[in-house]
Amino acid sequence: MNFRKGKGREDPEINLIPFIDVLLVILIFLMVTTTYSKFTELQITLPTAEADKAMQRPLEVNVTVDAKGAYTVNNAPVSFRDVGGLADALQTAAKQANNGQAPTTTPVVIVNADQFAMHQMVINVLEAARLAGYEKLTFAAQTGANK
């Protein structure tokens, strides 16, 4: 039934203006959130060292902390009572590594902590090294290739 007798029917048309507005908003969003790897890379040239190898290695004390909370100092198990006892074990291990004599230089304490060891266990080792008077500390780590 045609209730409009005098008018003809208009052809339907698609309004493209809202579609273009949505595409412009998406384009702006993508431009803002895109990371540009060109700007994140730093082009640096690292210096080279041509020094001879050290004639002697510094005195090392290896402390291992496993995930269960067991400590070893230079591969000898240590029962943890308190931080002072661990400091005494570090000093004893340094003397044994130096042929029973007190070391003339400060030994390097190498902390080998399991990835699942509690943070407090590692802090105990750091505190024991401080109490023993050992200021040189380092942490052992694996490279990412062995995962």
Side-chain angles (χ1 to χ4, degrees), residues 49-70:
E50 296 188 19
D52 294 332
K53 287 188 176 182
M55 298 302 284
Q56 61 181 1
R57 289 180 58 150
L59 185 61
E60 296 176 352
V61 176
N62 287 304
V63 180
T64 306
V65 181
D66 69 359
K68 296 177 184 174

Side-chain angles (χ1 to χ4, degrees), residues 72-122:
T72 61
V73 178
N74 285 348
N75 296 325
V78 175
S79 61
F80 182 76
R81 298 174 305 279
D82 60 350
V83 176
L86 188 57
D88 293 338
L90 290 175
Q91 290 175 338
T92 304
K95 286 179 185 176
Q96 288 176 352
N98 200 26
N99 298 325
Q101 299 175 359
T104 57
T105 61
T106 304
V108 177
V109 178
I110 301 172
V111 180
N112 300 291
D114 188 88
Q115 68 177 347
F116 297 112
M118 289 179 26
H119 185 78
Q120 183 62 47
M121 296 175 198
V122 177

Side-chain angles (χ1 to χ4, degrees), residues 1-12:
M1 297 174 82
N2 190 2
F3 295 111
R4 299 173 159 183
K5 296 210 181 220
K7 286 193 165 184
R9 194 167 187 193
E10 292 183 16
D11 291 330

Side-chain angles (χ1 to χ4, degrees), residues 1-70:
M1 297 174 82
N2 190 2
F3 295 111
R4 299 173 159 183
K5 296 210 181 220
K7 286 193 165 184
R9 194 167 187 193
E10 292 183 16
D11 291 330
E13 63 182 59
I14 298 175
N15 192 358
L16 294 177
I17 293 174
F19 180 67
I20 292 172
D21 290 343
V22 169
L23 286 179
L24 286 174
V25 169
I26 290 174
L27 180 67
I28 291 170
F29 174 76
L30 290 175
M31 288 174 58
V32 169
T33 59
T34 301
T35 58
Y36 297 101
S37 61
K38 177 181 175 185
F39 297 113
T40 58
E41 294 177 5
L42 293 176
Q43 298 296 328
I44 59 173
T45 304
L46 296 175
T48 58
E50 296 188 19
D52 294 332
K53 287 188 176 182
M55 298 302 284
Q56 61 181 1
R57 289 180 58 150
L59 185 61
E60 296 176 352
V61 176
N62 287 304
V63 180
T64 306
V65 181
D66 69 359
K68 296 177 184 174

